[in-house]
């Protein structure tokens, strides 16, 4: 297939540029990696190189002026414990853009031993075009990693992007949660949201809490429709099966107009049109686009925000601490599971998973595999959970450890974090994931064009997505 040929070409290119990179080394087995910031950065031959991207908290300890310090938060959360577990290994960690990016590594002939990345769209968008993924099934079996013991929805999420195999091992889940401001609920005499509440119940609450009180205007509920549709609770996948795991672009078929998609759309649409609850951004929970902090009662947002919302400086971007603590005077945060679609359901969203990938060009595959095995072990998962990161292993020890290293969470009920089960993506076999403009349904056609949900889904399926695929093919891409 076209994608296989492109990956093979890239691998051959890598084999040609690697000696040139070695010649550029400083003579001590260290490869220098030029970058846009002209910040010195190198990887030694004897280092296990772990590189992570698209998980914002890993960037928060970095110095913006020279793009260094991208390892500070990682080391605090898991890196130092990892080095304790493997005292004989030299482990180097890097965060995307602090100061190097994928293209910088590729140009220097350096391939990470482990890549921590979001499989949802980054396998096809970044890793596969570089030839940095492989079916890890034999490696996983050899290592003794038990995929059956970890979150099955996370495993299926990775598999759904892996062309018939499994390109990575899920590490943790940046799940979507329902945040609420206790101060607003107490002000208007309403009970806090609890696990298992339906969207219908949350809508009634949103109507009550969207109100004017003197000069204070309150919004009841805020949720980003893009993420809601992408990680939907029905497990719906927009691509239709073909006769191949890597269909050509002209064979890609999309369905977002079936009854299930329409049900999802209608469910969220009512919140967007609730008078004076106009959608802006979910960061309005704290401040965002609003002029005053703490005037949104409920939002659905990712779990990574929780430590920042209780004032943990480790999870707040350097330089923003003072304004966060000022805003937080208006917010007493509560957190629970996302609303469910129907009564007695316990299905939350598809998991917003971060996974570990070991590229076929990795220099230290055996050591990398042992590190990945440790990261999904109970010991490694407990360390992540202690820093308010949801693990893919849900043993009592992991669940009970949640947030223990975040003192500010001591008086916050976090039982909703592990409540319920993530939706499992369905019917992905013999498909190819494309980073299609699903966002156009609501952001363009509903909110700007004022279309009905049914019309917006139809226009996106029949016009926007085919035009996007055609434009990407013209640009030489096939994701």
């Amino acid at each position: 297939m076209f994608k296989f040929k492109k990956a093979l070409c890239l691998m051959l290119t890598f084999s040609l540029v690697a000696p040139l990179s070695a010649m550029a080394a400083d003579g001590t087995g260290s490869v220098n990696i030029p970058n846009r910031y002209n910040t010195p950065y190198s990887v030694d031959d004897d280092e296990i190189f772990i590189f992570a991207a698209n998980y914002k908290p890993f960037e928060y300890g970095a110095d913006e002026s020279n793009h260094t310090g991208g390892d500070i938060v990682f080391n605090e959360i898991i890196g130092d414990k990892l080095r304790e577990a493997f005292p004989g290994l030299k482990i180097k960690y890097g965060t995307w853009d602090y100061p190097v990016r994928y293209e910088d590594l590729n140009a220097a002939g350096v391939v990470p031993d482990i890549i921590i990345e979001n499989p949802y769209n980054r396998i096809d968008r970044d890793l596969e075009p570089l030839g940095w993924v492989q079916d890890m099934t034999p490696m996983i079996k050899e290592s003794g990693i038990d995929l059956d013991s970890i979150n099955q929805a996370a495993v299926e999420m990775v598999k759904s992007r892996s062309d018939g195999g499994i390109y990575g091992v899920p590490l943790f889940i940046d799940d979507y949660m329902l945040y609420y401001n206790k101060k607003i609920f107490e002000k208007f005499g309403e009970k806090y949201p609890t696990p298992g509440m339906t969207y219908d119940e949350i809508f009634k609450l949103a109507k009550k809490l969207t109100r004017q009180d003197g000069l204070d205007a309150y919004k009841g509920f805020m949720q980003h429709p893009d993420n809601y549709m992408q990680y939907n609770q029905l497990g719906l996948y927009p691509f239709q099966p073909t006769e191949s795991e890597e269909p050509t672009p002209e064979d890609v078929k999309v369905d977002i107009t079936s009854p299930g998609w329409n049900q999802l759309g209608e469910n969220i649409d009512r919140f967007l049109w609730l008078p004076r609850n106009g959608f802006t951004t979910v960061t309005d929970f704290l401040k965002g686009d609003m002029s005053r902090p703490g005037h949104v009662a409920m939002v659905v947002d990712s779990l990574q925000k929780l430590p920042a919302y209780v004032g943990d400086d480790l999870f707040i971007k350097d330089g923003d601490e003072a304004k966060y603590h000022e805003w937080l005077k208006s917010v007493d945060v509560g957190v629970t599971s996302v609303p469910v679609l129907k009564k007695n359901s316990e299905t939350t969203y598809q998991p917003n998973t971060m996974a570990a990938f070991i590229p076929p060009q990795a220099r230290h595959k055996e050591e990398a595999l042992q590190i990945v095995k440790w990261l999904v072990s109970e010991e490694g998962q407990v360390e992540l959970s202690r820093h308010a990161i949801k693990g893919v292993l849900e043993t009592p020890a992991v669940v009970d450890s949640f947030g223990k290293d975040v003192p500010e969470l001591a008086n916050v009920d976090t039982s909703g974090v592990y409540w319920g089960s993530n939706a499992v993506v369905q019917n992905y076999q013999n498909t190819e994931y494309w980073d299609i403009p699903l966002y156009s349904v609501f952001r363009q056609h509903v909110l700007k064009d004022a279309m009905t949900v049914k019309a917006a889904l139809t226009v996106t399926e029949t016009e926007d997505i085919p035009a996007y695929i055609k434009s990407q093919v013209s640009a030489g891409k096939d994701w």
Side-chain angles (χ1 to χ4, degrees):
M1 300 301 293
F2 174 69
K3 181 166 291 189
F4 173 78
K5 291 179 180 177
K6 182 168 70 172
L8 179 60
C9 179
L10 283 162
M11 291 174 68
L12 292 173
T13 301
F14 172 84
S15 68
L16 294 174
V17 301
L20 297 177
S21 300
M23 291 172 61
D26 62 7
T28 60
S30 180
V31 179
N32 297 313
I33 304 172
N35 54 80
R36 68 197 62 211
Y37 308 108
N38 295 317
T39 299
Y41 194 85
S42 62
V43 177
D44 295 345
D45 291 344
D46 60 350
E47 290 178 319
I48 313 301
F49 184 32
I50 303 174
F51 191 73
N54 292 302
Y55 185 62
K56 276 294 181 184
F58 287 165
E59 304 173 12
Y60 289 159
D63 185 340
E64 291 284 352
S65 62
N66 59 11
H67 279 242
T68 59
D71 58 348
I72 293 173
V73 175
F74 177 84
N75 289 339
E76 177 75 20
I77 291 174
I78 195 70
D80 291 343
K81 293 293 183 181
L82 182 60
R83 293 181 180 92
E84 289 179 15
F86 296 93
L89 298 182
K90 289 178 62 178
I91 297 173
K92 182 182 180 70
Y93 170 80
T95 297
W96 190 89
D97 200 40
Y98 290 93
V100 298
R101 300 183 176 190
Y102 287 138
E103 57 264 34
D104 302 324
L105 297 173
N106 190 48
V110 174
V111 179
D113 294 296
I114 298 172
I115 300 170
I116 300 175
E117 185 50 289
N118 189 327
Y120 180 87
N121 60 2
R122 296 295 172 169
I123 288 177
D124 292 88
R125 193 178 184 92
D126 293 322
L127 303 184
E128 203 168 36
L130 288 167
W132 286 3
V133 289
Q134 61 178 322
D135 183 6
M136 290 181 59
T137 302
M139 301 171 69
I140 291 169
K141 289 182 179 179
E142 176 189 342
S143 71
I145 293 173
D146 182 11
L147 292 181
D148 291 337
S149 69
I150 66 179
N151 187 301
Q152 288 303 289
V155 171
E156 291 300 306
M157 175 60 74
V158 179
K159 284 184 175 180
S160 70
R161 270 62 172 179
S162 297
D163 301 324
I166 184 165
Y167 286 157
V169 177
L171 294 184
F172 60 89
I173 303 171
D174 188 22
D175 246 345
Y176 285 92
M177 309 299 302
L178 178 67
Y179 293 97
Y180 56 95
N181 187 348
K182 296 178 184 177
K183 292 189 175 185
I184 297 177
F185 279 80
E186 291 164 0
K187 178 181 178 68
F188 297 115
E190 297 294 339
K191 293 181 179 179
Y192 301 151
T194 55
M197 290 188 74
T198 65
Y199 270 100
D200 289 343
E201 292 170 314
I202 294 297
F203 184 67
K204 291 178 182 178
L205 265 179
K207 289 172 67 176
K208 291 179 181 179
L209 296 172
T210 301
R211 58 200 296 174
Q212 187 79 31
D213 184 60
L215 297 180
D216 288 309
Y218 295 92
K219 292 184 178 182
F221 182 86
M222 196 73 63
Q223 179 168 10
H224 203 303
D226 297 0
N227 296 329
Y228 165 81
M229 296 290 280
Q230 290 168 345
Y231 291 96
N232 68 82
Q233 287 156 286
L234 294 179
L236 297 181
Y237 184 64
F239 302 98
Q240 295 300 290
T242 67
E243 295 182 356
S244 168
E245 288 289 348
E246 295 185 350
T248 59
E250 55 268 24
D251 289 333
V252 173
K253 298 292 186 294
V254 174
D255 170 24
I256 57 170
T257 54
S258 62
W261 286 103
N262 195 68
Q263 174 194 349
L264 292 167
E266 295 290 352
N267 182 52
I268 197 68
D269 186 66
R270 54 181 165 167
F271 290 93
L272 300 173
W273 296 105
L274 184 63
R276 300 199 177 279
N277 190 59
F279 176 76
T280 47
T281 168
V282 291
T283 56
D284 280 350
F285 182 68
L286 199 60
K287 176 68 164 60
D289 291 339
M290 297 183 75
S291 62
R292 300 178 180 184
H295 280 63
V296 176
M298 298 176 284
V299 300
V300 172
D301 205 349
S302 57
L303 183 59
Q304 63 175 263
K305 301 284 185 66
L306 178 58
Y309 283 171
V310 294
D312 182 358
D313 288 347
L314 185 66
F315 283 78
I316 299 173
K317 184 178 179 180
D318 280 11
D320 288 349
E321 295 90 347
K323 62 182 181 182
Y324 260 74
H325 288 287
E326 183 62 31
W327 294 337
L328 286 169
K329 292 177 182 178
S330 302
V331 177
D332 185 5
V333 69
V335 64
T336 189
S337 55
V338 292
V340 295
L341 292 173
K342 60 183 180 180
K343 203 70 175 176
N344 299 321
S345 171
E346 294 187 3
T347 304
T348 61
Y349 291 177
Q350 294 172 49
N352 186 20
T353 306
M354 295 293 287
F357 304 86
I358 299 178
Q361 306 91 338
R363 297 169 301 170
H364 307 286
K365 288 188 181 68
E366 291 185 10
E367 294 88 346
L369 191 58
Q370 290 307 307
I371 287 173
V372 172
K373 182 178 181 179
W374 183 84
L375 288 170
V376 295
S377 71
E378 186 171 71
E379 183 181 0
Q381 293 283 291
V382 162
E383 289 303 324
L384 289 169
S385 191
R386 291 184 67 86
H387 287 89
I389 296 174
K390 181 179 178 179
V392 293
L393 186 68
E394 295 188 19
T395 65
V398 174
V399 174
D400 293 344
S401 297
F402 186 83
K404 297 300 185 185
D405 285 349
V406 182
E408 296 85 352
L409 282 173
N411 297 317
V412 177
D413 180 3
T414 59
S415 59
V417 171
Y418 282 99
W419 182 89
S421 301
N422 291 107
V424 180
V425 59
Q426 304 289 322
N427 301 321
Y428 60 78
Q429 292 80 9
N430 286 329
T431 64
E432 179 68 85
Y433 177 82
W434 282 65
D435 197 14
I436 56 174
L438 197 57
Y439 58 81
S440 69
V441 175
F442 279 96
R443 267 196 275 168
Q444 180 61 53
H445 298 313
V446 172
L447 292 174
K448 293 182 180 179
D449 298 341
M451 289 184 181
T452 64
V453 168
K454 184 175 182 180
L457 289 167
T458 300
V459 170
T460 300
E461 177 182 300
T462 60
E463 297 180 16
D464 299 340
I465 293 174
Y468 174 82
I469 291 177
K470 187 177 293 185
S471 70
Q472 293 299 290
V473 171
S474 298
K477 299 176 181 177
D478 66 339
W479 54 26

